């Protein structure tokens, strides 16, 4: 059974030998948070699609704003849990560690989408399909089973763990050198690609297998199956997952209203659906304060819906804590909320699928993403397979040296290409596509 004393470890990945040698006014978990906020990888998310195309004259969420909001919601969830657990474990020598739950969860929320490629989730699908049914399929015979599964099930979550933990050329060991607890709280699917199943979800590439198992051993997280392939989640993953679920669903509805995909009346009803009884009556009455500003009305309702879901998910996490610590609990917290908000959330999901995710602009992004990724992968895979060709040398000359494009192992070279491309912003990927396709040229 897992325990909070070991689950909340300040040991830093790749810098274990420095543990305890650098006293600081901030806690180690606060330093994790600040380290991500000031990183270029985090800033680049400002120019990565969340759902709707970027840029536009109407503000919609991008990966950066989404991650910041998820972090705020995650902090609230963790604060609620910490308050309950500090009281429950009062008198234990390690109870003080629970005061940092909010920082761990807030940081993991910041990081949860850092491995996602350009063009939203369509970017993940474009990479996977390139190898499963595109030109990349020719490489299958040259890789082992797990290496191949890593490519055909390319997963942003696994890529986030690689980005955060991998020692790129010229960088320090341990990547971002985050604490073990923060890193583990990012891993939503604690198993390899060979256990991904039909959904294609997994938590780490074969290249990061040793690091993943080091985390599990240090935090005393046990395998969840007899084969020792699939591990239990770090308990805080449930809070990170809930924060993401809350934000993307509610904020997509608000964005759709800004873009006039959903009417004001329809949006009001969707958000009011999370409330019932006296609470709903009170909120409807207070809406009159914003009668002259429709957007403020919707923003107020959005905050009420999020507040309801935060309370419900916090209660679910607290009440199921012992089951979660036993490592046999895998139900998303959103499935455990009470009936009124559960039905409202389900209705929002149905509306999102029917009216938001299938709009022409969103579909056009996916179509463009597939084309752009196909060309970029074709050119850069050709370059790493035949690096001595003239065209290959030209392409590789513009790739930052941190990427291991000339690794002696094919699998590592392929991952290096994915590192480079998945780290691009939407605009950079589009610009590079145009240049290497000869569509646009530098001004002479």
């Amino acid at each position: 059974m897992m325990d909070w004393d070991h689950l909340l470890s300040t040991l830093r990945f790749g810098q274990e030998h420095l543990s305890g040698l650098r006293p600081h006014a901030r806690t180690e978990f606060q330093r994790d948070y600040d380290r991500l906020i000031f990183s270029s990888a985090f800033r680049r998310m400002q120019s990565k699609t969340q759902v709707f195309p970027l840029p536009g004259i109407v503000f919609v969420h991008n990966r950066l704003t989404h991650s910041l909001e998820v972090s705020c919601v995650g902090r609230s969830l963790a604060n609620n849990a910490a308050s309950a657990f500090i009281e429950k474990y009062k008198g234990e020598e390690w109870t003080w560690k629970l005061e940092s739950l909010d920082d761990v969860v807030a940081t993991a929320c910041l990081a949860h989408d850092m491995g996602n490629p350009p063009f939203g989730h369509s970017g993940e699908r474009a990479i996977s399909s390139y190898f499963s049914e595109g030109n990349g399929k020719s490489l299958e015979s040259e890789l082992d089973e797990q290496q191949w599964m890593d490519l055909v099930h390319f997963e942003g979550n696994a890529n986030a763990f690689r980005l955060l933990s991998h020692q790129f050329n010229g960088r320090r060991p341990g990547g971002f050198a985050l604490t073990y607890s923060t890193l583990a709280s990012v891993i939503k699917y604690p198993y390899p690609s060979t256990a991904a199943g039909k959904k294609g979800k997994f938590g780490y590439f074969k290249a990061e297998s040793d690091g993943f198992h080091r985390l599990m051993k240090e935090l005393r997280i046990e395998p969840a199956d007899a084969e020792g392939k699939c591990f239990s989640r770090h308990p805080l993953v449930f809070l990170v997952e809930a924060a993401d679920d809350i934000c993307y669903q509610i904020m997509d509805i608000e964005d759709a209203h800004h873009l006039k995909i959903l009417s004001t009346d329809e949006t009001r009803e969707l958000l009011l659906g999370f409330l019932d009884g006296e609470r709903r009556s009170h909120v409807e009455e207070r809406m009159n304060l914003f009668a002259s500003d429709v957007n403020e009305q919707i923003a107020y309702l959005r905050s009420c819906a999020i507040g309801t879901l935060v309370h419900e998910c916090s209660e679910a996490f607290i009440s199921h804590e012992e089951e979660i610590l036993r490592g046999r609990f895998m139900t998303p917290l959103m499935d455990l909320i009470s009936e009124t908000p559960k039905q409202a959330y389900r209705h929002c999901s149905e509306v999102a699928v029917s009216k938001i995710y299938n709009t022409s602009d969103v579909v056009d992004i996916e179509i463009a993403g597939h084309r752009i990724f196909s060309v970029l992968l074709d050119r850069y895979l050709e370059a790493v397979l035949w690096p001595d060709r003239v065209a290959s040398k030209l392409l590789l000359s513009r790739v930052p040296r941190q990427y291991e494009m000339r690794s002696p192992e094919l699998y590592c070279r392929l991952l290096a290409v994915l590192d480079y491309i998945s780290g691009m912003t939407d605009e950079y990927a589009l610009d590079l596509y145009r240049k290497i396709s000869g569509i646009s040229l530098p001004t002479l």
Side-chain angles (χ1 to χ4, degrees):
M1 183 170 175
M2 292 178 276
D3 64 86
W4 291 112
D5 188 16
H6 290 94
L7 288 168
L8 296 172
S9 169
T10 57
L11 203 63
R12 291 199 169 275
F13 192 80
Q15 295 188 359
E16 293 83 354
H17 61 292
L18 297 176
S19 179
L21 297 181
R22 295 179 298 184
H24 203 280
R26 294 172 294 161
T27 69
E28 294 299 325
F29 301 125
Q30 288 168 342
R31 293 178 65 208
D32 282 350
Y33 184 91
D34 296 347
R35 188 167 292 183
L36 290 192
I37 285 286
F38 284 92
S39 70
S40 57
F42 183 73
R43 289 195 301 273
R44 280 198 297 273
M45 291 200 293
Q46 181 177 359
S47 298
K48 286 191 175 186
T49 296
Q50 174 66 16
V51 172
F52 298 104
L54 300 173
I57 59 172
V58 178
F59 170 79
V60 293
H61 287 79
N62 53 47
R63 286 284 173 198
L64 184 94
T65 51
H66 167 71
S67 297
L68 289 169
E69 290 171 350
V70 173
S71 183
C72 288
V73 171
R75 186 179 291 278
S76 295
L77 288 164
N79 272 326
N80 291 346
S83 296
F85 296 158
I86 287 172
E87 179 63 26
K88 177 179 179 178
Y89 295 110
K90 185 167 53 179
E92 298 287 347
E93 292 183 0
W94 48 266
T95 304
W96 60 273
K97 291 185 177 183
L98 295 169
E99 296 174 0
S100 292
L101 283 189
D102 58 345
D103 288 321
V104 178
V105 173
T107 306
C109 288
L110 287 182
H112 83 284
D113 271 353
M114 285 179 67
N116 283 51
F119 308 112
H121 288 294
S122 64
E124 291 175 290
R125 292 190 289 270
I127 292 173
S128 297
S129 63
Y130 178 85
F131 291 101
S132 63
E133 57 190 41
N135 293 342
K137 191 169 176 58
S138 62
L139 298 170
E140 181 176 5
S141 62
E142 300 184 48
L143 302 170
D144 66 33
E145 180 189 10
Q146 185 174 348
Q147 291 172 342
W148 181 244
M149 289 295 103
D150 287 351
L151 302 181
V152 298
H153 293 307
F154 181 85
E155 163 61 42
N157 192 254
N159 201 44
F161 180 58
R162 175 174 172 81
L163 173 66
L164 295 170
S165 65
H166 182 68
Q167 182 180 4
F168 291 91
N169 285 336
R171 305 297 175 85
R172 63 185 167 194
F176 280 70
L178 300 176
T179 60
Y180 276 49
S181 296
T182 295
L183 271 180
S185 297
V186 177
I187 305 173
K188 189 175 179 180
Y189 312 104
Y191 43 81
S193 57
T194 49
K198 292 182 179 180
K199 289 186 177 181
K201 302 292 186 179
F202 65 101
Y204 61 93
F205 298 123
K206 184 177 180 180
E208 281 68 58
S209 179
D210 289 345
F212 169 81
H213 286 92
R214 205 159 82 228
L215 283 182
M216 297 298 104
K217 183 178 180 180
E218 172 64 28
L219 299 175
R220 301 194 183 183
I221 300 176
E222 299 293 332
D225 63 354
E227 299 175 3
K229 180 180 289 188
C230 302
F231 281 73
S232 301
R233 284 175 162 185
H234 189 291
L236 297 183
V237 171
F238 288 95
L239 297 182
V240 176
E241 177 183 52
D244 187 29
D245 288 345
I246 290 170
C247 286
Y248 85 76
Q249 196 64 266
I250 302 299
M251 303 315 297
D252 287 352
I253 295 296
E254 187 175 25
D255 279 350
H257 175 257
H258 285 317
L259 294 169
K260 303 187 184 308
I261 295 170
L262 297 178
S263 70
T264 297
D265 287 344
E266 186 173 12
T267 306
R268 280 197 197 105
E269 284 306 307
L270 285 171
L271 298 177
L272 280 170
F274 288 90
L275 313 170
D276 59 9
E278 291 184 10
R279 172 65 172 154
R280 175 164 177 152
S281 299
H282 174 72
V283 168
E284 288 180 313
E285 183 178 334
R286 285 187 59 83
M287 279 173 57
N288 294 327
L289 297 174
F290 313 109
S292 62
D293 192 328
V294 170
N295 287 330
E296 280 300 305
Q297 276 192 357
I298 299 304
Y300 172 61
L301 292 177
R302 174 254 297 156
S303 70
C304 293
I306 289 177
T308 297
L309 293 173
V310 166
H311 171 74
E312 293 271 345
C313 290
S314 300
E315 290 298 305
F317 183 72
I318 293 165
S319 62
H320 289 83
E321 180 216 5
E322 292 187 13
E323 297 169 68
I324 292 171
L325 290 175
R326 289 193 190 98
R328 297 297 182 267
F329 185 89
M330 287 299 292
T331 307
L333 298 180
M334 199 64 73
D335 290 351
L336 302 173
I337 62 179
S338 57
E339 197 58 30
T340 294
K342 182 185 291 186
Q343 289 295 337
Y345 188 85
R346 186 176 294 129
H347 189 201
C348 285
S349 300
E350 292 167 355
V351 169
V353 171
S354 63
K355 293 191 175 183
I356 299 176
Y357 304 145
N358 290 318
T359 61
S360 59
D361 283 348
V362 174
V363 173
D364 286 348
I365 279 288
E366 182 152 7
I367 294 170
H370 274 268
R371 176 58 182 166
I372 292 168
F373 275 106
S374 179
V375 171
L376 294 182
L377 286 169
D378 270 347
R379 298 298 178 86
Y380 279 96
L381 289 185
E382 180 181 350
V384 298
L385 289 172
W386 295 284
D388 293 326
R389 292 179 177 177
V390 173
S392 298
K393 290 179 180 179
L394 290 172
L395 274 176
L396 295 177
S397 68
R398 63 172 295 153
V399 177
R401 296 181 63 84
Q402 72 190 69
Y403 301 110
E404 301 161 282
M405 297 288 188
R406 294 185 178 274
S407 170
E409 186 181 353
L410 172 62
Y411 172 66
C412 291
R413 298 201 300 276
L414 296 179
L415 286 185
V417 171
L418 296 183
D419 291 334
Y420 178 47
I421 294 176
S422 65
M424 295 177 182
T425 64
D426 293 12
E427 185 176 355
Y428 186 92
L430 175 60
D431 182 59
L432 183 59
Y433 160 77
R434 286 170 171 165
K435 286 177 178 175
I436 66 178
S437 299
I439 298 172
S440 65
L441 295 171
T443 302
L444 300 177

